[in-house]
Each structure stands twice: as structure tokens, then as C-alpha cells.
Amino acid sequence: ATDARDQFDRTAAGYSVSRAHSASESLRLSKEFAGDRRYGVALDIATGPGFTALQLRTSDYLSASDISGGMLGQVEKLAG
């Protein structure tokens, strides 16, 4: 797990600006699925830079986790 964590820590900043990740078809589909609904609880495991989690931020309770502290740092930056 440490090798994966180190790898994602090193590449976290690139993920947060990657068009392939921020505008992917799967992200578009998850946004379409979520729609304008408000969820009581939302959980994003392996959030990466948080693109999916940020789509669900209107939930009453949102938890996003990742093995990489670097990725979680990108979530904080993108969330503003």
C-alpha cells in the first residue's frame, strides 16, 4: 500500500488538472445519475482529486476518502 500511496502522492497535482479525469464519460454519467437530487449520505471511496465527491457536495453528509494524502490535499484545493 505504501508504494501506491507514494505514487499517487507524487502525481496528485496532475490528476487535479487532468482533462481525462475532470471531463471523463464516467464523471458525466455520475453527474447525470445524481441529477439535482439531494442525498442524505454520500460516500466516495478512492476519491482521487474529488471530482465525483464535489458533484455530491449538496448531500447532508459527504465523506470522501483516499489512500493518498496528496489526493486529499487536491480535494481541499478544488473545493475551495
Side-chain angles (χ1 to χ4, degrees), residues 41-57:
V41 177
L43 176 62
D44 184 3
I45 299 171
T47 192
F51 297 124
T52 301
L54 293 173
Q55 288 181 10
L56 299 170
R57 67 175 133 190

Side-chain angles (χ1 to χ4, degrees), residues 6-48:
D6 291 344
Q7 177 184 347
F8 285 112
D9 281 345
R10 286 191 306 273
T11 59
Y15 270 82
S16 69
V17 296
S18 167
R19 184 95 173 120
H21 291 92
S22 66
S24 70
E25 178 66 7
S26 61
L27 189 62
R28 184 193 69 74
L29 289 171
S30 68
K31 185 174 186 174
E32 181 181 313
F33 176 76
D36 294 331
R37 290 177 287 228
R38 182 180 178 96
Y39 295 90
V41 177
L43 176 62
D44 184 3
I45 299 171
T47 192

Side-chain angles (χ1 to χ4, degrees), residues 51-77:
F51 297 124
T52 301
L54 293 173
Q55 288 181 10
L56 299 170
R57 67 175 133 190
T58 59
S59 301
D60 295 330
Y61 176 82
L62 170 63
S63 180
S65 67
D66 200 278
I67 193 172
S68 165
M71 287 294 189
L72 294 174
Q74 294 304 309
V75 175
E76 292 176 354
K77 286 180 183 178

